[in-house]
Amino acid sequence: MSTRIDARARTVRIGVQVQPQHAHYAKIRDTVSELEDLGVDILFNWDHFYPLSGPADGEHYESWTMLAAWAEQTSRVEIGALVNCNSYRNADLQADMARTIDNISDGRFIFGTGAGWFERDYDEYGYEFGTVGSRIAALSDALPRIEDRWTKLNPAPVRDIPVLIGGGGEKKTLRIVARHADIWHSFSDPATLERKLGILDEHCAVVGRDPHEIEVSVELRRQSEADVAELHALGARLFTYGVSGPDYDLEPVRRWLAWRDATNA
């Protein structure tokens, strides 16, 4: 688990999820370069095997192999999945893959993970879908193994790899966040975020954790500027925006980067 930084001291960061769908890889590679040049803080993809919007059988690429390519291509931005699906790979293998990409990128990898939810991925690739409860339990079991494996690998990770956990389940997921996450990501509006932060505080108290150590991340696409101002006031410091192929419109990203810079000034 990474060295903790009090979230109250954090500046605003902008992450962009380059959704690996409906585009040739050359377009994705060019988009990654453009976004790094624009000054985004983090580049994410997602861990699915099929598109989540648009034509269901459209062009699509796998997450982890792409992240390794981004690690070589980029030099400044942090990279990761928003989010990895814990169900698709053995926990110790996930740790080794994360350590490898962390080394390739010279310490810029974020281990974003979640319990999984997209049933077609499971059915088409032969994984047991199970239930929401069984998938969350599997994530809870996997994270200690991942963290332990990081202590055993040679060479070690370049840094204490930050763990980002996605999801807003109040009884189970937020309990896992309290125990393991450096970053918590959700799709919350201001009222929802305020309620869930209160619940996260309770889970942190149970495990003896200062909740301010956890960076709060929310997505931007569904939010108005007024919403974002409220989210920031509640403590959110990482804001993510998703772009999809085939065109990857970056104009909204430019606007949010300008907002970031003005907010941090």
Side-chain angles (χ1 to χ4, degrees), residues 41-153:
D41 298 289
I42 307 171
L43 289 173
F44 295 108
N45 62 14
W46 64 33
D47 188 21
H48 296 288
F49 306 130
Y50 296 93
L52 298 186
S53 61
D57 292 310
E59 293 175 291
H60 198 276
Y61 294 96
E62 193 276 329
S63 172
W64 282 85
T65 44
M66 180 181 295
L67 289 171
W70 289 6
E72 285 283 10
Q73 176 187 345
T74 60
S75 61
R76 180 191 56 77
V77 292
E78 291 184 283
I79 57 174
L82 194 64
V83 289
N84 166 67
C85 178
N86 177 69
S87 304
Y88 301 159
R89 301 162 192 90
N90 168 279
D92 292 84
L93 174 61
Q94 292 178 59
D96 203 343
M97 293 165 69
R99 179 281 311 251
T100 299
I101 296 177
D102 186 64
N103 272 254
I104 294 170
S105 66
D106 195 24
R108 293 182 288 116
F109 184 73
I110 294 173
F111 182 66
T113 194
W117 62 274
F118 189 40
E119 189 168 4
R120 185 185 181 190
D121 283 347
Y122 289 81
D123 292 345
E124 295 270 8
Y125 277 60
Y127 298 109
E128 181 180 351
F129 188 55
T131 66
V132 173
S134 68
R135 294 193 300 275
I136 293 174
L139 176 64
S140 182
D141 291 341
L143 281 163
R145 287 177 56 188
I146 291 166
E147 293 164 353
D148 182 61
R149 179 58 57 186
W150 282 336
T151 70
K152 299 175 179 177
L153 292 168

Side-chain angles (χ1 to χ4, degrees), residues 233-250:
L234 289 167
R237 291 297 181 268
L238 174 57
F239 296 86
T240 68
Y241 189 86
V243 293
S244 176
D247 298 321
Y248 294 112
D249 178 15
L250 303 188

